[in-house]
Amino acid sequence: MDGGISAERAAQNQSLYRTINEKIKELNQTFAEAGVANSEWICECANTDCTLRLTASLNEYERVRSNPRTFIISPGHLYPKVERVVAENDRFMIVEKLDHSGQIAEALNPRPTTPG
């Protein structure tokens, strides 16, 4: 995918979806406590028209969130000019934003980071 989107706009779009998934996380934690193995998440691709959902466990989701430059997306929703695949399976891909778009993703991270 490309869609003529700028690296900056892609990072902003994906960061918005990441923020929404952070809000969904609490609900998914409740389901996990009730024994539901996988939770539903919103695809965090750069396409603002994307409405796809994907399934991932809370542990898989936390792996994505451990790096403020990574996002969970549906297979095939890659924007190779601004991100690279770091992991994938039949349910989702994990992509890492590169260069300037990575810096934007870090700046828009909804989770506090500890200086290190």
Side-chain angles (χ1 to χ4, degrees):
M1 294 185 86
D2 181 350
I5 193 168
S6 72
E8 183 173 337
R9 188 70 200 150
Q12 291 169 343
N13 292 352
Q14 287 176 273
S15 294
L16 172 65
Y17 286 129
R18 173 177 58 192
T19 299
I20 293 168
N21 275 337
E22 283 292 281
K23 294 181 186 301
I24 293 171
K25 181 184 171 201
E26 187 175 318
L27 178 63
N28 284 332
Q29 284 176 315
T30 301
F31 285 130
E33 290 169 7
V36 176
N38 285 327
S39 300
E40 276 197 349
W41 307 95
I42 295 171
C43 176
E44 296 176 347
C45 75
N47 181 356
T48 57
D49 293 328
C50 179
T51 59
L52 293 180
R53 294 186 184 123
L54 47 91
T55 58
S57 70
L58 283 172
N59 286 338
E60 290 169 326
Y61 178 75
E62 285 302 316
R63 187 171 123 209
V64 176
R65 291 290 79 90
S66 68
N67 178 345
R69 290 178 176 240
T70 57
F71 296 87
I72 187 168
I73 64 170
S74 295
H77 288 211
L78 176 70
Y79 282 74
K81 290 182 181 178
V82 298
E83 60 197 12
R84 68 179 178 94
V85 176
V86 294
E88 65 183 302
N89 60 39
D90 60 330
R91 294 172 288 128
F92 59 83
M93 300 171 83
I94 300 172
V95 296
E96 181 178 22
K97 303 306 282 178
L98 304 171
D99 305 321
H100 182 61
S101 62
Q103 294 169 346
I104 293 168
E106 284 183 31
L108 296 174
N109 183 17
R111 291 188 177 186
T113 57
T114 36

